[in-house]
Amino acid sequence: MAVLHLSTPLDSLGITRTVVEATSPAEEANKWFSAFVEAIRMSDIASIIDLFHETGSWRDIVALTWSLRTLRGRKDIKRLLDARFEATGLTTLQLNKGARYAPARVAPLPDLAFIRFCFTFETLHGKGSGVCHLVRSSPSLEESWKAHALLTHLDTLKVFPVQAGVFRSRMMFRGSWEEKRNHELEFSNGDPDVLIIGAGQCGLQVAAHLKYMGVSTLVIERNARVGDNWRARYKSLFLHNLIHYNQTSYLRFPSTWPLFSPAPKLGDWFEGYARFLDLNVWTSSSIMETVWDETAKSWNVVIDRGGTLRRLKIKHVVLASGPGGSIPRTPDIPGQDCYHGRVVHSSEYKTGSGYEGMKAIVVGACNSAHDIALDLCNNDTDVTIIQRSSTFVVSHQALAAQHGVTYNDGFPTELADLLGLALPWSTQKSILQCKVPQVAGTTDRALLEGLERIGFKTNLGPDGTGVTTLSSVRGGGFYINTGASEKIIDGSIKLKSGCSIERFTTNGLALDDGTELQADIVIFATGFGDLRDSVRLVCGEEVAKKVGLMWGMDDEGELRSVWKDSGHEGLWIAAGNLSRARIHSMHLALQIKASLEGLFRREELTF
């Protein structure tokens, strides 16, 4: 694989380590922040804008926009302030001088550095945290420092603080706790305000935030137990990234938890999570009907709860049922009715035990495909992977080194999340375009060269940005290596790459290069449907049309229609891995709570 250095939009800033090291972070941060506070106090929008670099960005997460927005360049920042400054009422801005928050030099690349500082603020309705990255307006030491990136992040609502810590319930309960919880679970006193469909990592964490913001919430789960979505996967499944990166809201994994969490153990965790946080979850329950009432601004919902129908009137619906409603995506290949073996999707595969001495084909070359092929190989199965297109491959060691800078035992998860949100996607992309090729050419060089030698096709991800973009744009397309790559390199797992499947044969698959592979089982590790399939399945085609494109990046570098207004009133989409669920579940809950309390109107937020 050729590893190239890519020029990036950051090159024009002249923000080198040398320039930053010649300055005092505290002095420059105080000078900039004092001017920022004064401009806000005077409602002087022109002066606020002048404090930004001409290509600077203001990323707002729920604080000003009640959404997830990034405005880049002075013209768009002015548009933000013209629309939302007066309505937001920014006030009480203070530098955070804590040990990890104080002004400091940060260098994401060897020759790229910023002055970074954190601050707190209030709005008319909430309290928040901010992060600013400063650069010089030009490389000259005489020039002033400007904001390259400013983040404003809403942490809590003033009138409706999260009922945790100092705000936890102080009630001395003297009745039957079981009876109280049963009334809550059955919604004996009225329908819930929010219905969450899916009790996975996204649905449960949104429910937890809503509960402790005082919002009546029901979660429904089609499986018999919370956590079965993890227990039902293949037995060898475990998370490929560190447990610190996958922490959950309110409840943290204990220090005894393994670095790489086994899926069944994770299923048990989420079952306990729902129980310990007193979340209202109906298992063995499915949506039968969902109809939007435009006049009442609510959903009329019918739920099948273990054979009993329940009709509810709901103000907000959150779809958290996984990609495509967890509908397997399997290619339509002719001749399957003539094939004598077994055909399954990866979601149906359980274990390689029982296939000893047999032949298997795994169609696909990303995480699940590699895991399943490795499991079969370890069970003495003759297994072949069919790679239809190139795959981004990164070692788990390289990924752990990347995440481990802030996600570790000694660093607060909340601060790691905040800092991870602080730079706009345009800047993150440019940094990744340098880091991803560097890792490929150093840490993972031997691994990637070994794969290339045997014909396994790899790439550096979209625009050379690796797994970060792939997980956001596609939700897949990568493999975090935990051992399968070495088995492919040494031939223990066979490979067919650069070819397509023509048809099933009696004993296997015929490929377009004229070869035939024999197999007792064919496993399609080909992913799941589009997120819009979930909307169509639950709400119908008309609602799905209003929602439009989902997932992937919009023009501002934010995820489209996910964790924010979906395009249809009262409908929200929660999707992503464990880290994304932890980070954005609070943002979604804050938007719903603010909407229920009438703190904003949807039409005010379009600018």
Side-chain angles (χ1 to χ4, degrees):
M1 173 190 290
V3 178
L4 305 175
H5 174 73
L6 302 175
S7 62
T8 76
L10 299 181
D11 294 342
S12 62
L13 291 176
I15 44 179
T16 63
R17 186 191 294 264
T18 302
V19 171
V20 175
E21 287 179 347
T23 63
S24 163
E27 180 180 337
E28 297 300 339
N30 274 289
K31 187 186 302 182
W32 187 95
F33 192 66
S34 295
F36 183 63
V37 171
E38 179 62 15
I40 288 175
R41 188 183 70 82
M42 298 297 293
S43 299
D44 186 348
I45 289 178
S47 294
I48 295 173
I49 294 168
D50 187 57
L51 289 168
F52 284 79
H53 189 276
E54 61 184 11
T55 61
S57 296
W58 188 322
R59 188 180 193 193
D60 180 68
I61 298 181
V62 192
L64 281 76
T65 62
W66 295 111
S67 186
L68 282 69
R69 299 287 302 271
T70 299
L71 288 303
R72 187 165 186 255
R74 290 174 174 173
K75 180 179 179 181
D76 280 353
I77 292 172
K78 183 179 186 304
R79 191 159 55 88
L80 164 68
L81 295 174
D82 286 344
R84 298 298 305 158
F85 180 78
E86 184 177 351
T88 299
L90 278 172
T91 185
T92 322
L93 292 96
Q94 295 183 329
L95 273 178
N96 192 328
K97 298 181 180 180
R100 298 184 189 274
Y101 298 82
R105 303 179 186 94
V106 292
L109 295 172
D111 198 32
L112 171 65
F114 300 101
I115 289 176
R116 184 187 71 199
F117 63 89
C118 300
F119 61 96
T120 59
F121 63 90
E122 294 186 17
T123 68
L124 289 175
H125 300 299
K127 297 181 180 182
S129 301
V131 182
C132 185
H133 286 77
L134 297 179
V135 297
R136 279 200 181 278
S137 53
S138 81
S140 170
L141 293 178
E142 286 74 36
E143 293 295 326
S144 60
W145 288 77
K146 303 288 187 181
H148 170 70
L150 182 75
L151 168 72
T152 44
H153 178 279
L154 187 66
D155 298 333
T156 188
L157 297 172
K158 288 180 179 177
V159 180
F160 312 103
V162 175
Q163 299 161 25
V166 296
F167 296 107
R168 76 177 73 207
S169 172
R170 296 175 180 271
M171 182 181 70
M172 295 181 182
F173 189 76
R174 302 186 186 280
S176 165
W177 178 257
E178 292 81 3
E179 186 176 329
K180 173 183 180 295
R181 283 294 299 132
N182 186 61
H183 280 301
E184 292 175 349
L185 186 62
E186 297 301 323
F187 294 92
S188 306
N189 299 323
D191 294 348
D193 288 324
V194 179
L195 171 66
I196 298 176
I197 302 170
Q201 64 262 18
C202 295
L204 290 177
Q205 292 186 77
V206 173
H209 285 293
L210 287 170
K211 179 181 180 66
Y212 293 102
M213 290 179 191
V215 177
S216 176
T217 304
L218 168 65
V219 185
I220 63 169
E221 168 59 42
R222 63 188 173 190
N223 289 311
R225 293 171 61 194
V226 173
D228 277 352
N229 58 322
W230 287 100
R231 298 185 193 95
R233 299 294 302 277
Y234 47 93
K235 292 183 178 181
S236 62
L237 176 61
F238 60 90
L239 298 184
H240 289 199
N241 44 24
L242 300 180
I243 198 61
H244 310 92
Y245 189 64
N246 295 307
Q247 288 286 7
T248 52
S249 306
Y250 300 111
L251 292 182
R252 296 290 187 249
F253 294 108
S255 59
T256 56
W257 201 273
L259 280 178
F260 302 97
S261 181
K265 189 174 179 66
L266 200 58
D268 292 344
W269 174 265
F270 281 116
E271 189 171 39
Y273 185 92
R275 185 169 64 253
F276 295 140
L277 291 178
D278 295 325
L279 305 183
N280 300 320
V281 183
W282 292 356
T283 54
S284 301
S285 298
S286 302
I287 285 286
M288 301 300 293
E289 183 178 87
T290 309
V291 178
W292 173 250
D293 185 333
E294 180 63 31
T295 303
K297 300 294 185 183
S298 63
W299 299 93
N300 295 313
V301 174
V302 179
I303 298 171
D304 179 349
R305 185 187 183 192
T308 301
L309 296 185
R310 180 78 178 265
R311 298 180 183 275
L312 303 173
K313 187 175 287 290
I314 303 291
K315 294 178 181 177
H316 293 269
V317 170
V318 180
L319 294 184
S321 50
S326 298
I327 302 169
R329 183 172 55 202
T330 304
D332 184 14
I333 297 171
Q336 183 174 337
D337 54 340
C338 299
Y339 174 56
H340 291 169
R342 187 182 176 206
V343 179
V344 299
H345 186 266
S346 59
S347 59
E348 302 170 277
Y349 175 84
K350 295 297 182 282
T351 177
S353 178
Y355 290 97
E356 295 88 346
M358 298 185 186
K359 293 184 176 182
I361 296 172
V362 179
V363 180
C366 299
N367 267 341
S368 293
H370 279 83
D371 283 354
I372 290 168
L374 182 60
D375 181 50
L376 287 162
C377 178
N378 289 338
N379 280 279
D380 298 321
T381 306
D382 182 349
V383 58
T384 301
I385 278 183
I386 295 180
Q387 184 189 33
R388 300 168 298 163
S389 58
S390 62
T391 308
F392 175 72
V393 178
V394 62
S395 65
H396 74 84
Q397 295 92 339
L399 196 64
Q402 174 188 327
H403 291 163
V405 174
T406 51
Y407 291 100
N408 56 60
D409 286 325
F411 203 92
T413 303
E414 290 81 1
L415 178 57
D417 290 343
L418 184 70
L419 297 179
L421 295 167
L423 289 172
W425 172 242
S426 57
T427 303
Q428 292 184 49
K429 179 179 178 180
S430 296
I431 293 170
L432 288 168
Q433 285 176 319
C434 296
K435 284 189 172 182
V436 169
Q438 180 188 38
V439 169
T442 54
T443 306
D444 287 346
R445 180 175 179 176
L447 175 71
L448 297 176
E449 287 181 347
L451 289 170
E452 186 177 22
R453 278 196 307 272
I454 54 89
F456 188 95
K457 300 182 185 301
T458 63
N459 61 57
L460 293 176
D463 300 320
T465 56
V467 68
T468 302
T469 306
L470 284 166
S471 63
S472 296
V473 174
R474 289 181 51 189
F478 56 88
Y479 172 52
I480 302 169
N481 179 42
T482 56
S485 291
E486 288 80 2
K487 295 291 186 180
I488 294 172
I489 292 169
D490 70 21
S492 299
I493 297 174
K494 297 175 182 177
L495 173 69
K496 285 291 291 187
S497 184
C499 58
S500 299
I501 302 168
E502 281 194 341
R503 67 185 189 281
F504 278 94
T505 65
T506 303
N507 298 311
L509 294 174
L511 309 180
D512 64 357
D513 63 358
T515 61
E516 179 182 347
L517 297 178
Q518 294 191 351
D520 299 287
I521 182 172
V522 176
I523 302 150
F524 286 98
T526 45
F528 297 87
D530 187 278
L531 269 172
R532 282 175 293 183
D533 295 339
S534 297
V535 180
R536 292 188 187 96
L537 192 66
V538 174
C539 302
E541 185 63 34
E542 289 304 311
V543 172
K545 286 179 182 177
K546 287 188 178 182
V547 170
L549 293 175
M550 301 174 66
W551 210 247
M553 298 290 192
D554 63 19
D555 293 340
E556 295 181 353
E558 301 289 351
L559 284 174
R560 291 184 300 214
S561 306
V562 181
W563 300 109
K564 57 185 180 182
D565 192 313
S566 68
H568 190 291
E569 189 171 1
L571 178 64
W572 309 82
I573 314 297
N577 59 18
L578 272 79
S579 62
R580 197 180 296 278
R582 178 190 66 251
I583 292 167
H584 289 311
S585 55
M586 180 182 72
H587 304 149
L588 179 49
L590 282 167
Q591 292 171 79
I592 292 175
K593 177 64 174 178
S595 175
L596 287 168
E597 299 299 338
L599 302 186
F600 70 88
R601 292 179 297 158
R602 291 180 75 223
E603 54 268 26
E604 295 175 353
L605 308 183
T606 303
F607 59 88

